[in-house]
Amino acid sequence: MTGEDLWSGPVAVMLAKAQDAIPGPAALPGGTIWELKYDGYRSVLRSGEEGTSLWSRQGTDLSGIFPELIGAATEQLPDGLLLDGEVVIWRDGRLDFDQLQQRMGASAAAVARSASEHPASYIAFDLLAVGGIDVRSSPWRDRRTLLEELAQGFAPPLELSPYTDDHATAEQWFHDYPAAGVEGLVAKGAGSPYRSGVRGWIKIKARHSVDAVVGAVIGSVERPEALVAGRRTADGELIVLGRSGPLNSAQARELALLLRVAVNDHPWPAHLGSGHFGGPVAITQVEPTVVIEVAADTALQGGRHRHPLRLLRIRPELTPDDLAPIGEDLAPPGR
């Protein structure tokens, strides 16, 4: 389709655009199907004459980081095969992104130990090539038929992702699966080809509301650009939950009237490092007195929300003392 070499180096994957509502049955070409959106590493698994390899969406070779997947794929998959899917780690019935992150940059000994103690799984949901033939131009329904035939030979840690073409079932999945760390749904057109690098799918993330305290802002107190939300532990420690997306002008004006720069000792540093938001971010510490309600998805890392929180409203009727210590109320419904 694109002329790119599928058999050496990374392969561009098809992408999804975000949407708040679940698309209807006739919203996408050929009718809509729905799949689960996993909280893991999107990756392409290749089995060829040159060996088996695993590449991330960003073009990173993950083969040495997940040796248990390479071993299983080498044993189970025929040559000339290219799969699109998600690398995940299940722990106590829930997806554990933290365990995935610990593999990155780990020593060979640490990787081997993690592969033994917390083995990864590869959940395949699309087929790009089979028998050395590029099938991306085929409609999803035909690629899925081929994938299901291949998956008859799968054994853990290789898995086949389920799908549904029933809207009511999709809505039920959207409600039930966040308890297992699934982020939501991906909607695809049953008649659509696989278009590498194109946002032709639709992702719908499940969100739940959380009350939190504003502990800092990005920008100035007079013109806050985004919020850093926190909650207290049972011991009274104020910990970071996550950061909001950009504030609109009305939200920024309303918050500027309520927030005050911290004058006493603040538990957070002036910069939050990579363990919080993926890179050092300068913050303005504020007095932790303003309570807000935010919408959060299921993607957690180290107990923090990895993706931006969505500010729903300010809660002037509440004080920080009204909030229970951080705990089960922060988990997605049904957990």
Side-chain angles (χ1 to χ4, degrees):
M1 290 177 61
T2 63
E4 66 179 315
D5 182 3
L6 295 180
W7 307 108
S8 64
V11 176
V13 298
M14 190 163 175
L15 303 171
K17 54 189 175 185
Q19 183 173 301
D20 288 335
I22 300 174
L28 295 174
T32 307
I33 66 94
W34 300 269
E35 297 174 343
L36 300 176
K37 186 179 187 306
Y38 301 95
D39 188 15
Y41 288 162
R42 176 82 179 277
S43 52
V44 171
L45 183 59
R46 177 194 291 122
S47 179
E49 294 181 356
E50 302 300 319
T52 305
S53 58
L54 185 70
W55 294 86
S56 76
R57 167 185 162 181
Q58 289 78 21
T60 301
D61 188 348
L62 302 177
S63 305
I65 299 174
F66 297 101
E68 68 272 42
L69 299 182
I70 296 300
T74 300
E75 292 179 0
Q76 299 180 35
L77 302 182
D79 288 347
L81 190 66
L82 211 62
L83 298 174
D84 187 4
E86 198 90 6
V87 176
V88 302
I89 291 180
W90 294 98
R91 188 176 185 184
D92 299 327
R94 182 178 171 85
L95 296 174
D96 190 338
F97 189 83
D98 285 343
Q99 285 294 334
L100 285 175
Q101 281 289 89
Q102 290 176 21
R103 295 277 188 107
M104 307 304 290
S107 66
V111 166
R113 184 169 57 252
S114 179
S116 174
E117 297 176 353
H118 304 290
S121 297
Y122 185 81
I123 306 177
F125 51 67
D126 216 321
L127 180 67
L128 282 65
V130 60
I133 299 173
D134 186 345
V135 297
R136 291 176 295 172
S137 61
S138 300
W140 176 90
R141 64 171 69 89
D142 293 348
R143 301 196 311 275
R144 178 70 189 198
T145 297
L146 291 172
L147 180 57
E148 289 177 351
E149 292 175 359
L150 287 162
Q152 292 178 14
F154 284 8
L158 304 185
E159 305 176 22
L160 177 64
S161 180
Y163 80 92
T164 182
D165 56 7
D166 179 69
H167 190 259
T169 300
E171 290 182 322
Q172 191 65 45
W173 284 5
F174 190 72
H175 177 269
D176 291 345
Y177 275 99
V182 172
E183 291 187 296
L185 299 175
V186 177
K188 303 177 180 180
S192 296
Y194 188 102
R195 297 182 291 165
S196 295
V198 175
R199 293 191 181 277
W201 297 337
I202 295 173
K203 59 184 177 182
I204 315 96
K205 289 188 176 183
R207 292 180 178 270
H208 61 288
S209 65
V210 176
D211 288 331
V213 178
V214 181
V217 301
I218 297 171
S220 67
V221 171
E222 294 78 13
R223 293 185 178 180
E225 300 168 11
L227 305 176
V228 183
R231 279 285 290 269
R232 295 197 181 277
T233 65
D235 297 330
E237 179 187 3
L238 184 66
I239 65 171
V240 175
L241 284 186
R243 63 175 289 181
S244 76
L247 302 174
N248 61 40
S249 57
Q251 292 170 333
R253 286 195 301 270
E254 186 176 6
L255 285 161
L257 298 175
L258 301 173
L259 297 173
R260 298 290 181 270
V261 174
V263 294
N264 299 315
D265 291 338
H266 197 283
W268 299 347
H271 289 76
L272 293 179
S274 59
H276 293 78
F277 304 133
V281 176
I283 64 172
T284 301
Q285 303 157 335
V286 301
E287 295 290 345
T289 58
V290 176
V291 177
I292 56 174
E293 181 181 355
V294 296
D297 64 25
T298 64
L300 298 175
Q301 182 179 351
R304 303 182 183 96
H305 291 281
R306 211 164 65 244
H307 301 148
L309 306 171
R310 183 182 300 171
L311 177 62
L312 298 177
R313 58 175 173 152
I314 301 170
R315 300 293 304 272
E317 77 281 11
L318 297 180
T319 71
D321 291 337
D322 293 321
L323 306 186
I326 186 171
E328 287 301 312
D329 64 318
L330 297 181
R335 180 177 174 184

